[in-house]
Amino acid sequence: MTKIRSTTVVGIYHNGEVAVGADGQATMDKHIAKSNVKKIRKLLDGKIVTGFAGSTADAFTLLERFEEKLNAYQSNMKRAAIELAKDWRKDQYLRKLEAMMVVANKSELLIISGTGDVLEPDNQIAAIGSGSMYAHAAALALKKHAPHLSAEEMVKESLNIAADICIYTNHNLMIEKPA
């Protein structure tokens, strides 16, 4: 059975602010299944923003588990991510999930990988999904050559560049900043 997958998510920490965005395309094999998927979610009254890529059902399972960990660890995002990763490695059901997440609060940006790793990304840019390398490269160039842009503007431009060249990414963008 072919899985529906969601594609490009990028988060950027720049000049003291964080933004996370995603395109709206979901693909099933080589076909566009939906063009306006909402891959960005706010947790804890908007204090944490998450973006997911991979199998949609798997991503929602991880999102639910992450929210449980946030509640268990008094909203400590990094601790919740590490505890989720521990469960991911130990739990046979979770180990089979095919998804990744970018999570951010006002001061931190993390990638929770499909192998149960928690990564603090280099250059304060987190990108996941099919178009992630395009969005990541664009974000690096923007941080270097257009430092006057806000994190939100960089996310938008990175995703638009990815959408221009990646067939698994579209221009239906959703961008959020933590409260």
Side-chain angles (χ1 to χ4, degrees), residues 92-139:
Q92 286 188 357
Y93 171 72
L94 283 179
R95 241 184 285 153
K96 294 177 183 170
L97 298 180
E98 296 177 17
M100 296 179 75
M101 292 192 319
V102 170
V103 298
N105 60 23
K106 277 189 167 264
S107 60
E108 295 177 291
L109 183 63
L110 302 172
I111 297 173
I112 304 174
S113 79
T115 56
D117 293 314
V118 177
L119 308 168
E120 291 182 87
D122 291 338
N123 304 306
Q124 299 173 319
I125 300 167
I128 59 173
S130 302
S132 64
M133 291 303 106
Y134 304 113
H136 190 266

Tab-separated table of all heavy atoms in Angstrom, residues 92-139:
chain	number	residue	atom	x	y	z
A	92	GLN	N	8.697	-0.841	20.192
A	92	GLN	CA	8.665	-1.487	18.874
A	92	GLN	C	7.660	-0.829	17.936
A	92	GLN	O	7.890	-0.739	16.743
A	92	GLN	CB	8.356	-2.973	19.018
A	92	GLN	CG	9.525	-3.742	19.542
A	92	GLN	CD	9.281	-5.243	19.499
A	92	GLN	OE1	8.201	-5.696	19.128
A	92	GLN	NE2	10.275	-6.013	19.882
A	93	TYR	N	6.544	-0.351	18.469
A	93	TYR	CA	5.544	0.322	17.640
A	93	TYR	C	6.095	1.654	17.129
A	93	TYR	O	6.022	1.958	15.946
A	93	TYR	CB	4.257	0.539	18.440
A	93	TYR	CG	3.252	1.408	17.731
A	93	TYR	CD1	2.545	0.932	16.626
A	93	TYR	CD2	3.015	2.712	18.154
A	93	TYR	CE1	1.625	1.731	15.965
A	93	TYR	CE2	2.099	3.517	17.501
A	93	TYR	CZ	1.412	3.018	16.407
A	93	TYR	OH	0.512	3.811	15.756
A	94	LEU	N	6.650	2.461	18.025
A	94	LEU	CA	7.182	3.758	17.626
A	94	LEU	C	8.340	3.615	16.636
A	94	LEU	O	8.490	4.429	15.730
A	94	LEU	CB	7.671	4.548	18.844
A	94	LEU	CG	6.628	5.210	19.723
A	94	LEU	CD1	7.296	5.917	20.892
A	94	LEU	CD2	5.802	6.204	18.926
A	95	ARG	N	9.156	2.588	16.831
A	95	ARG	CA	10.325	2.395	15.961
A	95	ARG	C	9.948	2.252	14.490
A	95	ARG	O	10.744	2.512	13.610
A	95	ARG	CB	11.101	1.155	16.396
A	95	ARG	CG	12.514	1.486	16.806
A	95	ARG	CD	13.309	0.273	17.133
A	95	ARG	NE	12.888	-0.226	18.436
A	95	ARG	CZ	12.981	-1.481	18.800
A	95	ARG	NH1	13.457	-2.380	17.989
A	95	ARG	NH2	12.591	-1.859	19.990
A	96	LYS	N	8.722	1.843	14.231
A	96	LYS	CA	8.284	1.633	12.852
A	96	LYS	C	7.654	2.882	12.233
A	96	LYS	O	7.294	2.878	11.063
A	96	LYS	CB	7.295	0.469	12.800
A	96	LYS	CG	7.958	-0.847	13.162
A	96	LYS	CD	6.979	-1.980	13.188
A	96	LYS	CE	7.699	-3.244	13.627
A	96	LYS	NZ	6.805	-4.319	13.905
A	97	LEU	N	7.525	3.942	13.006
A	97	LEU	CA	6.927	5.163	12.485
A	97	LEU	C	7.900	5.859	11.535
A	97	LEU	O	9.091	5.941	11.798
A	97	LEU	CB	6.540	6.108	13.624
A	97	LEU	CG	5.491	5.587	14.599
A	97	LEU	CD1	5.210	6.625	15.668
A	97	LEU	CD2	4.212	5.213	13.881
A	98	GLU	N	7.356	6.349	10.419
A	98	GLU	CA	8.168	7.008	9.399
A	98	GLU	C	7.811	8.484	9.341
A	98	GLU	O	6.990	8.895	8.528
A	98	GLU	CB	7.936	6.339	8.042
A	98	GLU	CG	8.378	4.898	8.006
A	98	GLU	CD	8.076	4.251	6.675
A	98	GLU	OE1	7.828	4.963	5.689
A	98	GLU	OE2	8.074	3.013	6.632
A	99	ALA	N	8.436	9.247	10.228
A	99	ALA	CA	8.165	10.680	10.271
A	99	ALA	C	9.327	11.390	10.964
A	99	ALA	O	10.118	10.771	11.657
A	99	ALA	CB	6.864	10.949	11.017
A	100	MET	N	9.384	12.697	10.740
A	100	MET	CA	10.352	13.557	11.409
A	100	MET	C	9.619	14.824	11.821
A	100	MET	O	8.595	15.163	11.235
A	100	MET	CB	11.497	13.929	10.463
A	100	MET	CG	12.338	12.764	10.020
A	100	MET	SD	13.640	13.301	8.904
A	100	MET	CE	14.767	14.083	10.045
A	101	MET	N	10.189	15.521	12.808
A	101	MET	CA	9.575	16.773	13.259
A	101	MET	C	10.644	17.838	13.481
A	101	MET	O	11.746	17.539	13.916
A	101	MET	CB	8.829	16.574	14.577
A	101	MET	CG	7.613	15.715	14.475
A	101	MET	SD	6.524	15.751	15.948
A	101	MET	CE	7.602	15.728	17.319
A	102	VAL	N	10.278	19.070	13.166
A	102	VAL	CA	11.028	20.243	13.597
A	102	VAL	C	10.203	20.826	14.735
A	102	VAL	O	8.989	20.987	14.600
A	102	VAL	CB	11.171	21.285	12.458
A	102	VAL	CG1	11.734	22.598	12.988
A	102	VAL	CG2	12.057	20.747	11.340
A	103	VAL	N	10.846	21.114	15.863
A	103	VAL	CA	10.148	21.719	16.996
A	103	VAL	C	10.910	22.971	17.412
A	103	VAL	O	12.136	23.008	17.364
A	103	VAL	CB	9.970	20.734	18.179
A	103	VAL	CG1	9.123	19.546	17.764
A	103	VAL	CG2	11.301	20.268	18.729
A	104	ALA	N	10.168	24.001	17.798
A	104	ALA	CA	10.817	25.261	18.159
A	104	ALA	C	10.036	25.978	19.245
A	104	ALA	O	8.812	25.924	19.281
A	104	ALA	CB	10.916	26.161	16.931
A	105	ASN	N	10.786	26.649	20.112
A	105	ASN	CA	10.204	27.626	21.015
A	105	ASN	C	10.924	28.945	20.733
A	105	ASN	O	11.641	29.043	19.738
A	105	ASN	CB	10.293	27.175	22.489
A	105	ASN	CG	11.727	26.957	22.963
A	105	ASN	OD1	12.681	27.503	22.400
A	105	ASN	ND2	11.880	26.164	24.006
A	106	LYS	N	10.786	29.931	21.571
A	106	LYS	CA	11.380	31.241	21.270
A	106	LYS	C	12.907	31.224	21.214
A	106	LYS	O	13.503	32.088	20.587
A	106	LYS	CB	10.933	32.268	22.301
A	106	LYS	CG	9.584	32.855	22.005
A	106	LYS	CD	9.307	34.014	22.938
A	106	LYS	CE	8.129	34.787	22.465
A	106	LYS	NZ	8.443	35.920	21.681
A	107	SER	N	13.540	30.239	21.848
A	107	SER	CA	15.001	30.259	21.923
A	107	SER	C	15.692	29.009	21.396
A	107	SER	O	16.912	28.990	21.292
A	107	SER	CB	15.438	30.497	23.369
A	107	SER	OG	14.947	29.467	24.198
A	108	GLU	N	14.940	27.965	21.069
A	108	GLU	CA	15.553	26.716	20.613
A	108	GLU	C	14.862	26.191	19.367
A	108	GLU	O	13.675	26.406	19.162
A	108	GLU	CB	15.444	25.631	21.699
A	108	GLU	CG	16.208	25.914	22.951
A	108	GLU	CD	15.968	24.828	23.981
A	108	GLU	OE1	14.842	24.737	24.507
A	108	GLU	OE2	16.918	24.072	24.239
A	109	LEU	N	15.661	25.453	18.606
A	109	LEU	CA	15.181	24.816	17.377
A	109	LEU	C	15.775	23.422	17.357
A	109	LEU	O	16.990	23.254	17.491
A	109	LEU	CB	15.672	25.643	16.183
A	109	LEU	CG	15.274	25.260	14.785
A	109	LEU	CD1	13.763	25.362	14.603
A	109	LEU	CD2	15.971	26.194	13.802
A	110	LEU	N	14.927	22.401	17.229
A	110	LEU	CA	15.385	21.009	17.247
A	110	LEU	C	14.783	20.227	16.089
A	110	LEU	O	13.695	20.540	15.618
A	110	LEU	CB	14.966	20.317	18.551
A	110	LEU	CG	15.432	20.915	19.871
A	110	LEU	CD1	14.743	20.205	21.031
A	110	LEU	CD2	16.944	20.813	20.000
A	111	ILE	N	15.504	19.174	15.684
A	111	ILE	CA	14.965	18.180	14.755
A	111	ILE	C	14.839	16.882	15.531
A	111	ILE	O	15.800	16.453	16.176
A	111	ILE	CB	15.890	17.961	13.541
A	111	ILE	CG1	16.014	19.239	12.720
A	111	ILE	CG2	15.365	16.802	12.675
A	111	ILE	CD1	17.054	19.149	11.604
A	112	ILE	N	13.671	16.287	15.492
A	112	ILE	CA	13.479	14.950	16.050
A	112	ILE	C	13.409	14.030	14.845
A	112	ILE	O	12.483	14.120	14.045
A	112	ILE	CB	12.211	14.868	16.916
A	112	ILE	CG1	12.259	15.920	18.025
A	112	ILE	CG2	12.080	13.464	17.513
A	112	ILE	CD1	10.996	16.013	18.856
A	113	SER	N	14.419	13.184	14.704
A	113	SER	CA	14.561	12.400	13.478
A	113	SER	C	13.779	11.102	13.522
A	113	SER	O	13.347	10.656	14.584
A	113	SER	CB	16.039	12.081	13.222
A	113	SER	OG	16.449	11.000	14.044
A	114	GLY	N	13.657	10.494	12.353
A	114	GLY	CA	12.940	9.239	12.208
A	114	GLY	C	13.657	8.056	12.817
A	114	GLY	O	13.113	6.957	12.860
A	115	THR	N	14.853	8.272	13.328
A	115	THR	CA	15.591	7.193	13.992
A	115	THR	C	15.629	7.383	15.494
A	115	THR	O	16.310	6.656	16.197
A	115	THR	CB	17.028	7.100	13.441
A	115	THR	OG1	17.658	8.370	13.601
A	115	THR	CG2	17.039	6.686	11.988
A	116	GLY	N	14.906	8.375	15.993
A	116	GLY	CA	14.869	8.606	17.425
A	116	GLY	C	15.987	9.501	17.918
A	116	GLY	O	16.321	9.483	19.096
A	117	ASP	N	16.570	10.299	17.043
A	117	ASP	CA	17.618	11.237	17.440
A	117	ASP	C	17.030	12.616	17.650
A	117	ASP	O	16.050	12.994	17.011
A	117	ASP	CB	18.702	11.337	16.356
A	117	ASP	CG	19.475	10.046	16.204
A	117	ASP	OD1	19.865	9.470	17.237
A	117	ASP	OD2	19.684	9.601	15.057
A	118	VAL	N	17.663	13.383	18.528
A	118	VAL	CA	17.314	14.784	18.729
A	118	VAL	C	18.537	15.587	18.306
A	118	VAL	O	19.624	15.400	18.845
A	118	VAL	CB	16.959	15.084	20.199
A	118	VAL	CG1	16.683	16.559	20.398
A	118	VAL	CG2	15.758	14.253	20.625
A	119	LEU	N	18.350	16.450	17.316
A	119	LEU	CA	19.472	17.211	16.771
A	119	LEU	C	19.259	18.700	16.955
A	119	LEU	O	18.174	19.213	16.683
A	119	LEU	CB	19.607	16.918	15.266
A	119	LEU	CG	19.677	15.448	14.864
A	119	LEU	CD1	19.513	15.316	13.364
A	119	LEU	CD2	20.984	14.850	15.312
A	120	GLU	N	20.310	19.385	17.408
A	120	GLU	CA	20.326	20.839	17.400
A	120	GLU	C	21.032	21.209	16.103
A	120	GLU	O	22.230	20.981	15.966
A	120	GLU	CB	21.076	21.388	18.608
A	120	GLU	CG	20.340	21.155	19.906
A	120	GLU	CD	21.058	21.751	21.086
A	120	GLU	OE1	20.834	22.944	21.370
A	120	GLU	OE2	21.841	21.027	21.709
A	121	PRO	N	20.315	21.741	15.140
A	121	PRO	CA	20.890	21.898	13.800
A	121	PRO	C	22.002	22.956	13.735
A	121	PRO	O	21.990	23.942	14.467
A	121	PRO	CB	19.691	22.326	12.952
A	121	PRO	CG	18.747	22.941	13.921
A	121	PRO	CD	18.946	22.222	15.224
A	122	ASP	N	22.958	22.695	12.851
A	122	ASP	CA	24.011	23.663	12.564
A	122	ASP	C	23.398	24.905	11.936
A	122	ASP	O	22.373	24.832	11.254
A	122	ASP	CB	25.033	23.071	11.586
A	122	ASP	CG	25.857	21.966	12.203
A	122	ASP	OD1	25.962	21.920	13.444
A	122	ASP	OD2	26.403	21.145	11.442
A	123	ASN	N	24.027	26.023	12.144
A	123	ASN	CA	23.618	27.294	11.540
A	123	ASN	C	22.215	27.721	11.914
A	123	ASN	O	21.641	28.587	11.261
A	123	ASN	CB	23.755	27.241	10.014
A	123	ASN	CG	25.150	26.877	9.592
A	123	ASN	OD1	26.110	27.521	10.002
A	123	ASN	ND2	25.283	25.821	8.805
A	124	GLN	N	21.645	27.072	12.913
A	124	GLN	CA	20.303	27.394	13.396
A	124	GLN	C	19.255	27.334	12.289
A	124	GLN	O	18.322	28.134	12.229
A	124	GLN	CB	20.318	28.753	14.093
A	124	GLN	CG	21.246	28.731	15.300
A	124	GLN	CD	21.428	30.081	15.928
A	124	GLN	OE1	21.556	31.088	15.254
A	124	GLN	NE2	21.449	30.102	17.246
A	125	ILE	N	19.425	26.311	11.420
A	125	ILE	CA	18.477	26.037	10.340
A	125	ILE	C	18.102	24.562	10.423
A	125	ILE	O	18.976	23.694	10.397
A	125	ILE	CB	19.088	26.320	8.950
A	125	ILE	CG1	19.504	27.789	8.826
A	125	ILE	CG2	18.117	25.916	7.842
A	125	ILE	CD1	20.376	28.074	7.621
A	126	ALA	N	16.825	24.285	10.517
A	126	ALA	CA	16.332	22.909	10.541
A	126	ALA	C	15.463	22.701	9.316
A	126	ALA	O	14.528	23.465	9.079
A	126	ALA	CB	15.523	22.653	11.808
A	127	ALA	N	15.781	21.682	8.527
A	127	ALA	CA	14.973	21.387	7.334
A	127	ALA	C	14.772	19.886	7.229
A	127	ALA	O	15.721	19.114	7.396
A	127	ALA	CB	15.658	21.931	6.085
A	128	ILE	N	13.532	19.485	6.970
A	128	ILE	CA	13.200	18.066	6.823
A	128	ILE	C	12.261	17.891	5.641
A	128	ILE	O	11.607	18.823	5.204
A	128	ILE	CB	12.564	17.478	8.111
A	128	ILE	CG1	11.280	18.227	8.483
A	128	ILE	CG2	13.571	17.485	9.259
A	128	ILE	CD1	10.498	17.615	9.644
A	129	GLY	N	12.189	16.671	5.139
A	129	GLY	CA	11.275	16.341	4.057
A	129	GLY	C	11.955	16.287	2.705
A	129	GLY	O	13.152	16.545	2.575
A	130	SER	N	11.161	15.989	1.704
A	130	SER	CA	11.675	15.791	0.346
A	130	SER	C	12.399	17.002	-0.220
A	130	SER	O	13.388	16.875	-0.907
A	130	SER	CB	10.533	15.414	-0.599
A	130	SER	OG	9.893	14.255	-0.140
A	131	GLY	N	11.912	18.175	0.058
A	131	GLY	CA	12.532	19.393	-0.460
A	131	GLY	C	13.489	20.054	0.523
A	131	GLY	O	13.899	21.202	0.323
A	132	SER	N	13.866	19.331	1.564
A	132	SER	CA	14.650	19.933	2.640
A	132	SER	C	16.015	20.437	2.197
A	132	SER	O	16.466	21.483	2.667
A	132	SER	CB	14.816	18.956	3.803
A	132	SER	OG	15.556	17.817	3.418
A	133	MET	N	16.674	19.735	1.315
A	133	MET	CA	18.020	20.176	0.904
A	133	MET	C	17.950	21.484	0.115
A	133	MET	O	18.813	22.348	0.259
A	133	MET	CB	18.724	19.100	0.088
A	133	MET	CG	19.099	17.880	0.901
A	133	MET	SD	20.153	18.248	2.319
A	133	MET	CE	19.044	18.069	3.683
A	134	TYR	N	16.900	21.651	-0.683
A	134	TYR	CA	16.730	22.904	-1.424
A	134	TYR	C	16.440	24.058	-0.454
A	134	TYR	O	17.029	25.132	-0.552
A	134	TYR	CB	15.586	22.797	-2.433
A	134	TYR	CG	15.737	21.657	-3.404
A	134	TYR	CD1	14.858	20.576	-3.369
A	134	TYR	CD2	16.748	21.654	-4.362
A	134	TYR	CE1	14.993	19.529	-4.265
A	134	TYR	CE2	16.886	20.610	-5.263
A	134	TYR	CZ	16.003	19.546	-5.207
A	134	TYR	OH	16.132	18.519	-6.090
A	135	ALA	N	15.520	23.818	0.482
A	135	ALA	CA	15.160	24.842	1.454
A	135	ALA	C	16.340	25.168	2.367
A	135	ALA	O	16.584	26.336	2.696
A	135	ALA	CB	13.954	24.393	2.281
A	136	HIS	N	17.099	24.158	2.745
A	136	HIS	CA	18.249	24.366	3.623
A	136	HIS	C	19.317	25.196	2.920
A	136	HIS	O	19.866	26.145	3.503
A	136	HIS	CB	18.814	23.015	4.067
A	136	HIS	CG	19.839	23.133	5.137
A	136	HIS	ND1	21.184	23.187	4.878
A	136	HIS	CD2	19.710	23.222	6.478
A	136	HIS	CE1	21.850	23.303	6.005
A	136	HIS	NE2	20.977	23.332	7.006
A	137	ALA	N	19.605	24.858	1.674
A	137	ALA	CA	20.608	25.611	0.912
A	137	ALA	C	20.171	27.069	0.744
A	137	ALA	O	20.980	27.995	0.908
A	137	ALA	CB	20.838	24.962	-0.450
A	138	ALA	N	18.906	27.273	0.452
A	138	ALA	CA	18.392	28.639	0.299
A	138	ALA	C	18.493	29.398	1.620
A	138	ALA	O	18.892	30.573	1.646
A	138	ALA	CB	16.947	28.604	-0.195
A	139	ALA	N	18.157	28.750	2.726
A	139	ALA	CA	18.230	29.396	4.038
A	139	ALA	C	19.665	29.778	4.389
A	139	ALA	O	19.911	30.868	4.923
A	139	ALA	CB	17.643	28.475	5.107
